[in-house]
């Protein structure tokens, strides 16, 4: 017999187990501390644009004999002028996790979620727009097939063109940069507001390409199991300069810097169209591989009566 009830502090160890088992199936060894999960039920700093639009939050859990078998975190966005038009009043199932042998219970939890959304008068409902509070968690990854099944069965449809691949691997095997691959190329490192450190290749006064990295994914120590991991946030080479080794050279510079920062592994997210256009081949040549693929952005299409 399962009971669906609002989250309270006694549920935290069970919710943490759910979150961490799911997370560490996406990136090896990643886990979130209990206090961090609890804090993020009240705000999500990974969503600096949409999180301030949230007007109400609710976490529901499905419990069987004191064991948390599924949990969902829901948001209702405000209706004010400052809220993005598509979000005004909308409900978001920010995340829902369940043990894979409890699909019926996960579906029952999703029904309770819809009941709460009706209570909130949400004119439309989407899912996974806000996500789990961890870097690069952007939807339902294919290593959680049971959740694909739950959302599909409950009437959610993935939005087209919102698929991303999560690549990762070692930095130790990337050779140190030697001479520049093109005569006259100069490398510069600068601070960047979004990702942290930028590496740019210049020719005369023109930037031919850049990459940007995050050297600390622990958020200043709050996430200790992410120590040693870096993120490649962006890489872009001007179209006419591609295929001449500039991207590889920039990654070599970045990797040397990241190793000095104590990072020996890297993760990055790559949109499906960039991956197909050649970025996937570029990353594989560097020795990195796909950890999983995410389907981001799910919209609820309630059955028509
Ligand atoms: C992916 C990218 C950064 C590679 O930079 P680059 O300087 O062209 O790469 P290099 O010359 O160092 O390496 C060449 C390898 O990159 C891959 N590659 C990807 N796109 C390429 C392109 N348009 N031209 C040539 N090589 C390309 C190939 O694997 C190639 O080696 P191969 O042909 O022997 O297999 C660059 O093509 C780019 O800016 N693409 C658009 C932006 C993008 O997709 N960024 C990644 C987002 S996740």
């Amino acid at each position: 017999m399962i009971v669906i009830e609002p989250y309270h502090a006694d549920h935290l160890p069970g919710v943490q187990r759910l979150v961490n088992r799911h997370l560490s199936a996406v990136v090896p060894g990643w886990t979130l501390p209990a206090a961090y999960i609890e804090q993020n039920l009240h705000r999500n700093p990974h969503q600096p644009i949409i999180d301030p639009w949230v007007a109400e939050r609710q976490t529901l859990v499905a419990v069987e004999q004191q064991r948390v078998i599924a949990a969902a975190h829901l948001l209702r966005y405000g209706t004010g002028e400052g809220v993005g038009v598509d979000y005004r009043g909308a409900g978001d199932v920010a995340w829902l996790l369940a043990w894979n042998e409890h699909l019926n219970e996960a579906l029952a939890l999703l029904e309770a979620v819809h009941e709460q959304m009706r209570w909130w008068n949400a004119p439309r409902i989407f899912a996974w727009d806000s996500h789990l509070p961890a870097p690069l968690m952007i939807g339902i990854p294919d290593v959680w097939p049971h959740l694909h099944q739950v959302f599909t069965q409950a009437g959610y449809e993935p939005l087209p063109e919102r698929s991303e691949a999560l690549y990762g691997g070692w930095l130790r095997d990337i050779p140190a940069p030697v001479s520049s691959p093109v005569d006259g190329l100069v490398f510069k490192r600068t601070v960047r507001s979004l990702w942290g450190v930028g590496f740019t290749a210049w020719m005369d006064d023109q930037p031919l390409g850049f990459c940007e990295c995050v050297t600390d994914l622990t958020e200043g120590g709050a996430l200790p199991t992410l120590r040693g991991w870096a993120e490649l946030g962006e890489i872009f080479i001007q179209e006419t300069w591609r295929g001449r080794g500039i991207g590889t050279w920039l990654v070599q510079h970045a990797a040397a810097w990241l190793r000095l920062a104590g990072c020996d592994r890297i993760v990055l997210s790559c949109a499906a169209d960039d991956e197909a256009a050649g970025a996937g081949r570029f990353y594989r040549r560097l020795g990195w591989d796909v950890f999983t693929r995410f389907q981001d952005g799910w919209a609820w299409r309630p059955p028509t009566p």
Side-chain angles (χ1 to χ4, degrees):
M1 160 85 178
I2 65 151
V3 177
I4 294 174
E5 56 192 21
Y7 165 87
H8 57 76
D10 290 350
H11 298 130
L12 185 54
V15 171
Q16 186 191 22
R17 204 167 303 124
L18 263 178
V19 168
N20 286 342
R21 295 267 167 87
H22 281 80
L23 188 56
S24 59
V26 176
V27 184
W30 279 20
T31 57
L32 304 181
Y36 184 88
I37 294 171
E38 162 84 25
Q39 237 174 42
N40 279 272
L41 298 180
H42 308 290
R43 60 178 181 86
N44 185 352
H46 296 273
Q47 295 290 355
I49 297 172
I50 62 173
D51 200 63
W53 298 342
V54 174
E56 293 185 84
R57 297 166 204 262
Q58 170 77 276
T59 308
L60 296 175
V61 291
V63 180
E64 188 180 48
Q65 292 176 348
Q66 299 190 348
R67 179 177 179 235
V68 173
I69 52 178
H73 185 58
L74 338 178
L75 310 173
R76 182 183 68 77
Y77 296 97
T79 51
E81 295 257 303
V83 177
V85 179
D86 293 342
Y87 285 80
R88 282 182 202 162
D92 180 6
V93 191
W95 52 263
L96 181 151
L97 300 175
W99 297 119
N100 49 324
E101 68 277 22
H102 286 286
L103 297 193
N104 288 336
E105 290 80 357
L107 282 164
L109 177 61
L110 209 38
E111 261 176 44
V113 163
H114 292 159
E115 186 56 42
Q116 176 64 51
M117 297 289 187
R118 274 192 290 277
W119 179 253
W120 277 342
N121 265 329
R124 60 194 170 284
I125 300 173
F126 37 76
W128 296 96
D129 216 73
S130 183
H131 317 136
L132 274 185
L136 294 154
M137 294 298 121
I138 43 167
I140 309 183
D142 57 12
V143 291
W144 305 344
H146 59 299
L147 296 181
H148 274 261
Q149 194 182 329
V150 165
F151 276 88
T152 309
Q153 218 167 307
Y156 285 78
E157 281 174 17
L159 301 177
E161 291 163 25
R162 295 272 295 265
S163 161
E164 302 251 340
L166 184 74
Y167 276 77
W170 291 103
L171 289 169
R172 61 180 184 205
D173 305 325
I174 308 285
V178 278
S179 55
S180 83
V182 177
D183 281 348
L185 210 56
V186 174
F187 153 78
K188 284 187 189 157
R189 192 181 67 251
T190 49
V191 62
R192 295 289 182 110
S193 61
L194 193 56
W195 300 104
V197 196
F199 305 83
T200 308
W202 292 83
M203 174 76 83
D204 303 322
D205 289 335
Q206 295 299 315
L208 301 189
F210 69 93
C211 76
E212 294 190 12
C213 297
V214 185
T215 55
D216 175 26
L217 291 180
T218 74
E219 298 184 10
L223 302 177
T225 61
L226 277 61
R227 197 173 299 288
W229 288 89
E231 179 182 350
L232 181 69
E234 297 247 17
I235 181 157
F236 179 85
I237 308 298
Q238 301 280 6
E239 204 164 342
T240 48
W241 290 90
R242 290 180 192 162
R244 304 220 212 159
I246 300 175
T248 305
W249 184 65
L250 284 177
V251 168
Q252 288 171 349
H253 276 284
W257 183 254
L258 294 172
R259 284 192 294 260
L260 280 177
C263 299
D264 58 3
R265 285 152 295 166
I266 194 159
V267 277
L268 65 99
S269 163
C270 184
D273 50 350
D274 286 339
E275 188 188 18
R281 230 168 69 206
F282 176 74
Y283 296 134
R284 285 176 207 274
R285 273 175 59 116
L286 291 162
W288 305 337
D289 217 332
V290 179
F291 283 171
T292 190
R293 286 176 206 282
F294 283 94
Q295 181 59 57
D296 184 18
W298 294 71
W300 190 46
R301 314 260 185 243
T304 38

